[in-house]
Amino acid sequence: MVKSFLMLGQSNMAGRGFIHEVPPIYNERIQMLRNGRWQMMTEPINYDRPVAGISLAGIFAEAWSRENKEDSIGLIPCAEGGSSLDDWAVDGILFKHAINEAKMAMQSSELTGILWHQGESDSYNGNHKVYYEKLLQIIETLRKELNVPEIPLIIGGLGDYLGKVGFGKNCIEYSLINKELYRFASEQDNCYFVTASELTANPDGIHINAISQRKFGLRYFEAFSKKQHVLCPLENEEELLNHIHERIYTKTEKIYMKSMDFALGKMSYEEFESQVMEISNV
């Protein structure tokens, strides 16, 4: 059975971590929704822009699969870079698209959780004052339209690197948005807050870098699995990441990786055929 998770928010949910900075994740039990069909996950998962990269969802799914050996996990990418909370209004295209994608996924999976990360685009001009009520309308309508009134919602805080340099320089009210996010998670049922404390950014000053996205995803999974807020970094984040990255690939995963290399012109067909045969015969 596929247990699916809906990915919502802006660019730090879509992911902008540089792909070359962390080991890849390939797992035949982790799938993503593309063109209405499930396929094995590859990063970037949420291809909203040509600059899409590592997000928190990949490591979240890998951590989930380690503790749920009997099922597969499906990721439903719907995040949109640069989107404000108003862009997610229930009569808008982003919300309608997410509903349609979720309903499509629910035909062949059980919708199990919602992963939300948004707020950078609202971290100025006093937008924190109306953030709670806007978010409440979005989440209440989402749960109602999908008929999942008790589905867990995991929401991540904004990084404390904001408001300083680069594109993040204008996010001067990020701490006030964080207060609203935490208040929302504390007051709403089946909602859990995840801190972005000690995470670091790309040189642009606004996007969480690859290694921090990996850590963030572990925190999201901690909140989901234990049904509680994560208010400080996990003590064993580095150890957990090492365990996950050391996982031995299955034959199917190895062949998939070779197929990717061949399709990207990294080897000849003869090399591909030889290596696949070698994997198959082990």
Side-chain angles (χ1 to χ4, degrees), residues 7 17 33 77 85 88 169 221:
M7 300 166 53
L33 194 67
L85 209 57
W88 282 97
K169 197 171 184 179
F221 179 70

Side-chain angles (χ1 to χ4, degrees), residues 2-8 33 36 38 74-78 88 94-114 141-143 145-148 151:
V2 177
K3 308 286 187 177
S4 56
F5 289 79
L6 187 58
M7 300 166 53
L8 303 177
L33 194 67
W38 295 113
L75 300 172
I76 311 167
C78 294
W88 282 97
L94 294 182
F95 184 87
K96 292 177 181 178
H97 174 255
I99 291 292
N100 289 337
E101 290 292 291
K103 287 183 176 180
M104 185 176 298
M106 291 168 75
Q107 295 176 18
S108 56
S109 71
E110 177 187 342
L111 190 62
T112 304
I114 300 170
T141 308
L142 184 72
R143 284 171 162 166
E145 292 205 16
L146 296 177
N147 193 28
V148 286
I151 193 169

Side-chain angles (χ1 to χ4, degrees), residues 134-147:
K134 288 181 178 180
L135 181 58
L136 182 61
Q137 183 181 21
I138 292 168
I139 298 305
E140 285 185 339
T141 308
L142 184 72
R143 284 171 162 166
K144 181 178 180 180
E145 292 205 16
L146 296 177
N147 193 28

Side-chain angles (χ1 to χ4, degrees), residues 119-126 128 158-159 161-165 167-177 206:
E120 290 89 350
S121 291
D122 289 278
S123 297
Y124 70 102
N125 201 33
H128 65 278
L158 307 184
Y161 53 78
L162 292 170
K164 298 177 178 64
V165 298
F167 296 133
K169 197 171 184 179
N170 293 326
C171 303
I172 57 176
E173 297 177 357
Y174 75 90
S175 62
L176 297 173
I177 294 292
I206 195 168

